[in-house]
């Protein structure tokens, strides 16, 4: 049974929803240690209902099941929209690292949400924090022999499955309506962000890429840990994007 944490905004009336998907290289991580007090305080005070979801991990399941877990969590929240004061017209997926990949996959490949009577078009926006593997084959090539082998364990060595699990392969039609892709100073993360954004825009979907300070894995972890704090470079970028996505009434 999958579990999620729900943090209610003090603002009255139906509120926009942010569903956060944690990272951890598809093999680790947790909804509680990946959300952080800064995100909870910042987004609920800004008028958002915030949820953070766990998903089953490799090798217990494969990545397809992880994406299904995310889709199921979103469907469950929307089914309880009246009780949870969620505005179902204003929904955001947000993910970090592997969670960014899973959020992007659910927001582009319709097979995951279809099972629950939803489509990617039901998602208003997707905010991705220094994600990876938006294009799995190029990620494996960028990673080099050692890390490339780790990606192949997760995604398999077959080109068809790697393509199927690449969000960039599903951008021609029917995506979530708007994407924000943030990256730190990691060359592969930057290349993945721009490759995915180009694919989205070619399919007619709005996509913005923004870089923030922070080198290597320290920066990769910091962008998530700091989001929601006033001294985070990423916080005002995400806030501005959200404001444009839903308008000032979202606040």
């Amino acid at each position: 049974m999958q579990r999620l944490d729900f943090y209610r905004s003090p603002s009255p009336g139906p509120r926009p929803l942010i569903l956060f998907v944690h990272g951890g290289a598809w093999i680790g991580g947790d909804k509680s240690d990946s959300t952080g007090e800064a995100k909870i305080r910042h987004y609920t005070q800004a008028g958002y209902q915030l949820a953070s979801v766990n998903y089953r991990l490799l090798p217990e399941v494969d990545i397809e099941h992880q994406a299904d877990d995310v889709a199921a969590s979103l469907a469950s929240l929307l089914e309880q929209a009246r009780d949870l004061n969620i505005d179902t017209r204003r929904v955001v997926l947000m993910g970090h690292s592997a969670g960014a990949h899973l959020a992007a996959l659910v927001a582009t490949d319709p097979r995951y949400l279809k099972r629950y009577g939803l489509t990617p078009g039901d998602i208003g926006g997707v905010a991705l924090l220094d994600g990876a593997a938006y294009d799995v084959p190029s990620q494996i090539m960028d990673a080099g022999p050692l890390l490339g082998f780790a990606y192949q364990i997760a995604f398999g060595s077959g080109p068809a499955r790697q393509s199927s699990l690449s969000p960039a392969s599903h951008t021609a039609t029917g995506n979530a309506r708007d994407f924000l892709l943030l990256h730190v100073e990691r060359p592969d993360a930057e290349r993945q962000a721009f490759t995915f954004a180009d694919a989205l825009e070619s399919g007619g979907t709005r996509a913005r890429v923004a870089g923030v300070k922070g080198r290597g894995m320290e920066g990769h972890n910091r962008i998530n840990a700091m989001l929601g704090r006033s001294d985070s470079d990423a916080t005002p970028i995400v806030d501005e994007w959200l404001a444009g996505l839903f308008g000032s009434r979202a606040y």
Side-chain angles (χ1 to χ4, degrees):
M1 180 177 179
Q2 297 313 112
R3 296 184 180 274
L4 59 81
D5 295 327
F6 185 79
Y7 305 98
R8 190 181 293 268
S9 172
S11 301
R15 308 307 307 166
L17 170 69
I18 297 174
L19 175 58
F20 185 80
V21 187
H22 71 78
W26 302 276
I27 62 172
D30 181 79
K31 58 183 171 53
S32 58
D33 63 24
S34 298
T35 310
E37 289 299 323
K39 287 192 195 71
I40 296 168
R41 180 177 59 253
H42 181 76
Y43 291 112
T44 57
Q45 290 297 319
Y48 291 92
Q49 311 291 22
L50 176 66
S52 184
V53 62
N54 266 356
Y55 50 88
R56 292 168 292 173
L57 302 173
L58 301 179
E60 176 192 352
V61 299
D62 57 28
I63 288 175
E64 289 89 343
H65 287 98
Q66 295 179 334
D68 183 76
D69 289 345
V70 174
S73 297
L74 177 59
S76 177
L77 286 164
L78 297 184
E79 287 174 0
Q80 302 173 73
R82 184 183 296 273
D83 292 338
L84 298 176
N85 290 333
I86 292 171
D87 184 344
T88 59
R89 301 165 300 172
R90 298 188 289 179
V91 174
V92 171
L93 285 185
M94 181 183 292
H96 171 244
S97 191
H101 164 265
L102 292 172
L105 189 60
V106 169
T108 54
D109 186 342
R111 62 178 164 155
Y112 298 105
L113 287 170
K114 182 179 180 180
R115 178 178 176 185
Y116 303 99
L118 299 170
T119 71
D122 293 314
I123 301 169
V126 186
L128 306 176
L129 310 177
D130 207 49
Y134 304 135
D135 184 313
V136 174
S138 67
Q139 181 76 66
I140 290 172
M141 291 182 63
D142 277 349
L146 184 59
L147 284 177
F149 179 68
Y151 278 114
Q152 288 188 55
I153 292 175
F155 291 95
S157 57
R161 183 162 184 260
Q162 290 177 4
S163 177
S164 175
L165 293 174
S166 298
S169 297
H170 303 286
T171 56
T173 57
N175 307 308
R177 299 193 294 276
D178 204 319
F179 285 73
L180 174 65
L181 296 91
L182 299 184
H183 66 84
V184 299
E185 298 168 79
R186 296 195 305 138
D188 59 331
E190 182 176 359
R191 282 192 293 271
Q192 285 287 311
F194 277 102
T195 295
F196 186 32
D198 287 346
L200 287 164
E201 290 180 331
S202 294
T205 300
R206 293 188 300 271
R208 176 187 173 191
V209 178
V212 298
K213 294 178 182 177
R215 295 185 180 277
M217 291 307 295
E218 180 180 357
H220 174 73
N221 294 326
R222 185 178 175 83
I223 188 176
N224 181 54
M226 295 284 288
L227 186 66
R229 291 177 46 160
S230 60
D231 55 348
S232 161
D233 291 339
T235 298
I237 298 173
V238 176
D239 284 354
E240 179 187 4
W241 175 77
L242 286 169
L245 187 66
F246 294 136
S248 60
R249 291 184 182 181
Y251 297 89

